[in-house]
Amino acid sequence: MADPAISFVIERTGDLLIQKIVFLKGVRRQVERLQNDLVRMRCFLKDADQRQDEDARIRNWVSEIRAAAYDAEDIIEIFASKVEMRLKETADSREEYGIKNLGEGMTTHGEELQRIRRSSPLSEDKDIVGFREITKSLVAELLKEDRNRRVVSIIGMGGAGKTTLAKKVYNHADVRERFKCRAWVCVSSSYDYKKILRSIIKQLNEMSKELLEVLEKMEEEDLERRLFQDLQDKCYLVVLDDVWTEEAWDCLAGAFPDVGTSSRLLLTSRNLDVAQHADAYRHPYELKTLGQEDSWQLFLKKALGHGANAVCPPDMEEVGREIVRRCAGLPLAITVIGGLLLGKKELKNEWEKILNDFSTYLSRSQNRVSAILELSYAELPPNLKFCFLYLGLFPEDSVISVCKLIHMWVAEGIIQKRDAKYLEETAAYDDVERLCSRNMVQVAEMTVDERIKSCRVHDLLQELAIRKAEDEYSLQIHDTRDDKISAKSRYLAVHILSRDKNHFGTSPAPLRSLLFFNTHGYEENISLSFESFRKLRVLDLENVMMYSNLPEGIGKVRLLRYLGLRRTSIGRLPHSFGCLRNLQTLDIRTTYVAMEVSNFIWKLESLRHLYARGMECDVPLKIEGLSNLQTLLGIRFDDIMHNNMITLTSLQKLGILVDRRSDIDKLCMHLSEVGSLKTLHLDGSSAISGELPQLPSLAGLSKLHHVTELKLIGKFLTMLPPDFPPNLSRLSLKFRELEYDPMPVLEKLGQLSFLKLEAVWGRQLVISRHGFHQLKFLELYLVYGLHEIEVEEGALPQLQCLRIRKCYSLEKLPEELKHISTLDALELVSMREDFISRLDADIASRIPNLRIF
């Protein structure tokens, strides 16, 4: 299999030959020769991944080629050719070492993987099998009449399905009924005590900006005291998933009161001693491996992708059952190898090849799970390998924003366009789906239209990613205070900061990615010498407290493509920022309301995504001419009006801060010719220049024929717009108070499929049979004063999901819901306990997925 690093550099040098021809004058022939050498080397690397484990000479040679390829890209980016000689010498050394041609033939990978629907992080896997009896026992144990606080434990080896089982129990209807106060937190091997306490508190309380700020400033003792008070009089259930040590339990236990409320803690661990230490009076539930038939059914669901209707072709059953037997009943092993086969054609010889390869990897690995994970990794296409390994940078069990991940992948050059109209971001999202469908990555959260919003990596797979990336891509995780940062590191994730202020030593590493995590508790100012980081493509400082502003030296990091400053204390960007001509993503949603900037944004010609909460500039901010810009959020109305928006030919998503002086009709005319614009946010929630946070008249929206998604926020707006964009399919409205029921107006929007409404009007909301013919998702959020929802017969014929959040005055659900045959999910979030207890059993039984949070 061709090495990803080589493939990327070949693509990159080809791009540079086309794009930078003027600057490469005089060295063009050398760059072409370099590219040709790399193409020839790629032929030898086709199956080197398999062979390098067998021969140390091959392994060392591959490592040299990879390092040289990275150096080549670094140097070519600054228009030099110093590695040509080195690559030539390395290529010649292949013959000197006696390494034969490793072969150019490779079997092609399977067809495009189908999208598979995933559930939310705390809902159970629909393909789960074999846990029926133990689930019943666990639920009964949690519901026992015992007023003391008890700890119920699930133990088992890695990959046995402990978390999956805990989710099934956590979401059980009887458990939800008993424990109105519930929370779930993943502890993991390298836990952050304050982060865990904050997470539980957030799940138990209605969040506000003020509370979030208070929690961030609290020390451990204050957080523990706050959580103890929150739980003091509650019958609570808290899941502590993946507890590794007795010390971790001892650290957490004091925050959970035992005051005779029949509360329970559900704990999962690989360690029997941890479970017995937590509650010596309760025998832990040991999760055994799946039986032969349960293993076979799970395998069929994952490998064939037909859910409950999966049937194995007769001629493949023998080899399929042998593959399952080798998995030894471990759900993770079965799931991952099933995902691997899902990407293959349903051919006997394909399955036999996997079985043979499995035997090879099993002979090298310590256990079956490791062998299967190694095999599944080896079978990934080159770009997916790198995508998967990049996930090793993120902390264990972290929930990873897919949007952020995609921006980083694109910045690293991992993603290649499929064709001229196929954006790299679209290709990157497809790769997220491929990794999920292969079960190498887990879906953490889905959007209502079933797109993956966030993901996570199982800890065993993360261990694999880190191990492979350390060997193959010079990835380093800095997670102890005594760690020394290697001078060879190219990808560095800082999980713990040392007390030594010179974090990166005197000899800078050739870093391409530098990411910081979990550093918000670090009290000293973090200073970075950007002189040392001239090869950086990705720099993520989210949550890092840099009390000084960015130094001017940032302008020398000319290769930088991703810069994340979200939730930092940086208030100003320096003048040198305009030198970052390769920057693609800039996130400046800092702790300040608005970031001070000079008028340099227009110079960032490669910019694709700009996320802000307003930008302060002493002159109108120039943005016209940014032809690559796709996302622009948090820009002021006046700045938009001073620019020719037609020049932003790639703009898809635009978020504008407006006030009551803003002429929306004039704005809409200004934007009407921006044909690429699909999403528009108008935000009047914050006071601007002393004005009241109120939106003006919204006339003119009907001119926006290209806009399909609209979000309006205005706390004091009392009337709906007179018109909407004619092709609108998604609408979010957040108003303080409306004078009338908005449904008669909104139901006439014939293409509307998504509606989220937050407002106040009266006691009743009526949905008639005449409208909302295409509506698939409806959310009512904080609709104060709403007592009754009336749904007429025949209304909402396409509705798939109804979500009701914090509508505290609502007395009951409409009877007509049980007659909507398309309704798949009903989600009730933070509703009153008496509302939940009065739920109509007939309605609940007819809706496939009732979720109560």
Side-chain angles (χ1 to χ4, degrees):
M1 184 176 296
D3 189 278
I6 305 293
S7 299
F8 298 153
V9 178
I10 291 170
E11 294 285 345
R12 186 63 182 149
T13 52
D15 290 343
L16 285 168
L17 286 170
I18 296 170
Q19 299 168 6
K20 308 292 184 181
I21 186 170
V22 174
F23 301 102
L24 289 174
K25 185 177 181 181
V27 296
R28 179 179 178 85
R29 185 174 300 172
Q30 290 94 322
V31 175
E32 287 176 338
R33 189 182 307 151
L34 166 65
Q35 188 185 32
N36 291 334
D37 283 345
L38 289 170
V39 170
R40 284 192 290 270
M41 289 178 185
R42 181 166 60 175
C43 295
F44 296 114
L45 289 166
K46 288 274 186 175
D47 59 351
D49 280 338
Q50 284 78 12
R51 292 284 303 282
Q52 63 179 313
D53 289 334
E54 304 167 11
D55 192 328
R57 296 172 303 166
I58 297 176
R59 186 163 58 249
N60 292 334
W61 182 73
V62 169
S63 178
E64 285 188 45
I65 291 296
R66 184 184 295 116
Y70 274 129
D71 287 347
E73 184 182 3
D74 290 339
I75 293 172
I76 289 171
E77 293 249 12
I78 55 175
F79 317 119
S81 56
K82 295 181 180 179
V83 295
E84 179 187 3
M85 183 70 70
R86 179 178 172 187
L87 283 165
K88 178 88 166 52
E89 291 171 353
T90 309
D92 293 342
S93 70
R94 179 181 59 82
E95 295 181 3
E96 295 174 10
Y97 293 151
I99 300 172
K100 306 285 186 190
N101 189 330
L102 295 177
E104 299 186 20
M106 280 294 290
T107 56
T108 59
H109 286 277
E111 300 170 345
E112 292 288 312
L113 301 175
Q114 296 180 346
R115 295 183 180 182
I116 55 174
R117 185 174 180 179
R118 297 293 179 142
S119 56
S120 64
L122 300 185
S123 63
E124 61 194 86
D125 186 342
K126 292 184 178 180
D127 290 336
I128 191 171
V129 298
F131 289 163
R132 181 177 299 174
E133 293 304 317
I134 194 171
T135 300
K136 287 172 60 177
S137 298
L138 277 163
V139 169
E141 184 72 27
L142 292 175
L143 300 182
K144 275 184 179 177
E145 293 298 330
D146 184 342
R147 297 196 64 81
N148 294 317
R149 186 201 73 182
R150 292 300 185 195
V151 181
V152 179
S153 298
I154 305 170
I155 62 168
M157 66 181 294
K162 299 182 296 296
T163 300
T164 301
L165 175 60
K167 289 177 183 177
K168 190 173 181 68
V169 173
Y170 186 84
N171 288 298
H172 193 280
D174 295 341
V175 172
R176 292 201 311 256
E177 178 64 26
R178 166 69 71 84
F179 301 99
K180 306 296 185 184
C181 179
R182 297 185 305 151
W184 176 295
V185 67
C186 186
V187 179
S188 77
S189 58
S190 55
Y191 63 93
D192 180 329
Y193 184 44
K194 291 200 289 187
K195 188 174 181 180
I196 289 172
L197 294 175
R198 285 193 195 99
S199 176
I200 300 174
I201 293 169
K202 288 175 183 177
Q203 293 176 63
L204 301 178
N205 291 273
E206 182 178 338
M207 280 296 101
S208 64
K209 181 180 179 182
E210 292 72 24
L211 180 55
L212 285 171
E213 291 175 352
V214 169
L215 292 178
E216 286 297 321
K217 295 176 182 177
M218 280 186 175
E219 296 301 323
E220 286 184 5
E221 290 183 1
D222 298 324
L223 288 166
E224 189 174 305
R225 190 179 303 111
R226 169 64 192 255
L227 177 56
F228 193 92
Q229 291 171 350
D230 283 348
L231 298 174
Q232 184 70 34
D233 58 348
K234 305 287 196 315
C235 174
Y236 61 83
L237 169 66
V238 176
V239 177
L240 302 175
D241 187 32
D242 198 21
V243 182
W244 281 64
T245 64
E246 296 174 23
E247 291 76 17
W249 164 256
D250 290 337
C251 188
L252 291 163
F256 303 110
D258 185 0
V259 287
T261 57
S262 301
S263 294
R264 300 289 182 265
L265 294 163
L266 180 58
L267 178 151
T268 75
S269 180
R270 301 182 192 183
N271 192 336
L272 173 63
D273 293 339
V274 171
Q276 292 178 333
H277 179 74
D279 194 331
Y281 299 100
R282 291 286 178 275
H283 186 71
Y285 286 77
E286 185 174 2
L287 196 54
K288 304 291 186 181
T289 54
L290 295 178
Q292 184 176 351
E293 195 54 35
D294 285 333
S295 296
W296 177 243
Q297 291 304 318
L298 178 59
F299 172 77
L300 292 180
K301 291 175 180 179
K302 296 299 183 182
L304 301 180
H306 305 312
N309 300 318
V311 177
C312 183
D315 65 319
M316 298 168 65
E317 182 165 347
E318 183 179 353
V319 64
R321 286 191 178 274
E322 181 60 21
I323 292 173
V324 170
R325 189 185 70 78
R326 301 286 185 95
C327 294
L330 289 166
L332 178 63
I334 298 167
T335 296
V336 171
I337 205 162
L340 169 59
L341 291 171
L342 182 63
K344 305 284 185 183
K345 293 179 180 178
E346 292 178 19
L347 298 175
K348 185 178 180 180
N349 65 331
E350 290 277 5
W351 285 28
E352 287 175 338
K353 180 182 182 299
I354 293 299
L355 180 58
N356 293 332
D357 289 346
F358 186 8
S359 300
T360 302
Y361 279 91
L362 189 58
S363 66
R364 301 177 192 163
S365 301
Q366 295 179 349
N367 58 61
R368 295 174 187 273
V369 174
S370 296
I372 288 172
L373 301 187
E374 290 271 1
L375 172 59
S376 297
Y377 169 75
E379 286 287 324
L380 290 175
N383 68 307
L384 280 189
K385 275 191 171 185
F386 202 178
C387 290
F388 171 70
L389 295 182
Y390 202 85
L391 291 164
L393 290 167
F394 292 82
E396 183 181 351
D397 290 311
S398 59
V399 176
I400 304 166
S401 163
V402 167
C403 181
K404 179 176 180 176
L405 182 64
I406 284 173
H407 292 338
M408 288 180 169
W409 283 353
V410 172
E412 272 294 343
I414 300 173
I415 308 300
Q416 305 301 323
K417 286 184 178 182
R418 310 286 159 84
D419 57 54
K421 295 182 179 180
Y422 204 71
L423 294 175
E424 288 166 293
E425 285 80 359
T426 307
Y429 178 79
D430 288 349
D431 286 343
V432 173
E433 286 198 321
R434 289 185 178 90
L435 286 171
C436 290
S437 59
R438 286 173 178 261
N439 297 304
M440 300 293 284
V441 174
Q442 300 171 342
V443 175
E445 186 178 3
M446 299 285 285
T447 63
V448 295
D449 52 355
E450 297 186 5
R451 287 180 62 83
I452 304 170
K453 185 176 182 180
S454 59
C455 62
R456 55 158 52 96
V457 183
H458 190 282
D459 51 5
L460 292 180
L461 282 159
Q462 189 190 41
E463 290 171 10
L464 171 68
I466 293 172
R467 186 172 71 252
K468 289 288 186 182
E470 284 176 344
D471 294 340
E472 299 179 18
Y473 293 96
S474 302
L475 177 144
Q476 183 181 358
I477 307 296
H478 184 71
D479 57 3
T480 71
R481 299 195 189 282
D482 299 326
D483 262 2
K484 297 296 182 184
I485 293 175
S486 169
K488 297 181 179 180
S489 293
R490 295 184 186 273
Y491 303 92
L492 175 63
V494 179
H495 293 184
I496 292 180
L497 283 167
S498 64
R499 295 299 175 190
D500 180 7
K501 290 191 175 182
N502 185 18
H503 305 294
F504 302 98
T506 54
S507 54
L511 286 177
R512 297 168 65 100
S513 285
L514 175 57
L515 283 63
F516 289 82
F517 299 97
N518 303 329
T519 59
H520 48 264
Y522 187 78
E523 297 177 357
E524 298 182 41
N525 187 35
I526 296 173
S527 59
L528 296 174
S529 173
F530 289 107
E531 297 282 343
S532 305
F533 299 136
R534 296 200 178 194
K535 296 179 180 179
L536 269 183
R537 273 75 166 173
V538 174
L539 176 59
D540 186 23
L541 294 165
E542 183 170 344
N543 287 317
V544 174
M545 291 295 100
M546 296 181 68
Y547 301 111
S548 58
N549 291 315
L550 278 180
E552 287 286 338
I554 186 69
K556 296 181 179 179
V557 191
R558 301 293 178 89
L559 304 184
L560 193 65
R561 296 177 190 146
Y562 178 99
L563 178 59
L565 301 177
R566 193 173 187 182
R567 300 193 190 98
T568 66
S569 297
I570 296 168
R572 183 181 61 83
L573 296 181
H575 291 276
S576 66
F577 213 86
C579 298
L580 302 180
R581 301 298 177 89
N582 291 300
L583 194 66
Q584 296 174 350
T585 299
L586 175 60
D587 190 341
I588 51 175
R589 289 172 289 187
T590 67
T591 52
Y592 290 92
V593 174
M595 175 78 79
E596 291 183 25
V597 298
S598 313
N599 200 9
F600 55 69
I601 298 295
W602 65 274
K603 298 180 180 179
L604 307 179
E605 58 196 36
S606 300
L607 197 63
R608 301 182 183 196
H609 309 281
L610 174 55
Y611 301 94
R613 289 197 178 103
M615 290 173 282
E616 294 285 357
C617 188
D618 29 3
V619 296
L621 198 64
K622 183 180 178 182
I623 57 172
E624 60 188 45
L626 294 177
S627 59
N628 293 303
L629 194 65
Q630 300 170 29
T631 308
L632 176 58
L633 297 183
I635 188 168
R636 301 195 188 283
F637 171 86
D638 291 341
D639 290 327
I640 289 289
M641 299 306 293
H642 276 93
N643 284 274
N644 181 3
M645 298 298 290
I646 298 177
T647 65
L648 276 62
T649 53
S650 299
L651 188 64
Q652 297 179 14
K653 188 173 184 178
L654 176 62
I656 306 173
L657 303 180
V658 298
D659 58 35
R660 65 179 179 183
R661 299 169 303 172
S662 304
D663 189 334
I664 301 300
D665 189 50
K666 191 174 180 180
L667 171 68
C668 292
M669 181 64 72
H670 193 58
L671 298 176
S672 62
E673 298 301 319
V674 185
S676 58
L677 185 63
K678 303 299 180 187
T679 300
L680 177 64
H681 295 180
L682 298 179
D683 187 350
S685 61
S686 302
I688 302 172
S689 303
E691 295 289 341
L692 289 173
Q694 177 182 358
L695 279 172
S697 168
L698 292 170
L701 288 173
S702 61
K703 298 183 179 72
L704 302 177
H705 292 264
H706 300 288
V707 170
T708 58
E709 179 175 348
L710 179 65
K711 184 175 183 178
L712 303 177
I713 304 175
K715 293 183 178 178
F716 294 96
L717 190 70
T718 59
M719 297 180 65
L720 290 176
D723 294 295
F724 286 92
N727 295 304
L728 197 65
S729 62
R730 298 173 65 91
L731 176 62
S732 297
L733 300 173
K734 184 177 180 181
F735 299 155
R736 176 62 58 88
E737 185 172 354
L738 287 172
E739 295 178 352
Y740 49 81
D741 181 350
M743 291 305 180
V745 175
L746 299 178
E747 69 182 13
K748 292 182 174 62
L749 300 176
Q751 299 185 47
L752 201 64
S753 63
F754 173 101
L755 175 60
K756 182 177 178 181
L757 187 60
E758 178 182 345
V760 178
W761 58 87
R763 293 177 57 88
Q764 187 181 45
L765 179 153
V766 178
I767 301 176
S768 79
R769 66 176 63 89
H770 303 295
F772 292 128
H773 295 303
Q774 300 298 322
L775 196 67
K776 293 180 173 62
F777 175 85
L778 173 62
E779 176 173 333
L780 302 174
Y781 176 53
L782 280 174
V783 183
Y784 293 107
L786 179 64
H787 288 255
E788 181 183 2
I789 301 173
E790 181 182 338
V791 177
E792 294 184 356
E793 183 179 353
L796 301 170
Q798 302 293 327
L799 189 67
Q800 296 174 5
C801 180
L802 172 63
R803 180 184 296 159
I804 302 177
R805 298 177 61 195
K806 298 184 180 180
C807 294
Y808 300 123
S809 301
L810 190 62
E811 296 173 357
K812 64 178 183 178
L813 293 171
E815 289 284 329
E816 184 59 31
L817 287 184
K818 60 188 176 186
H819 300 303
I820 302 176
S821 60
T822 58
L823 187 58
D824 177 70
L826 173 62
E827 298 179 359
L828 303 173
V829 185
S830 299
M831 297 294 287
R832 294 195 330 269
E833 290 186 16
D834 59 327
F835 174 88
I836 301 298
S837 64
R838 292 198 307 269
L839 279 178
D840 187 305
D842 194 24
I843 294 177
S845 65
R846 288 172 181 255
I847 299 174
N849 295 292
L850 173 62
R851 303 176 185 130
I852 301 174
F853 302 101

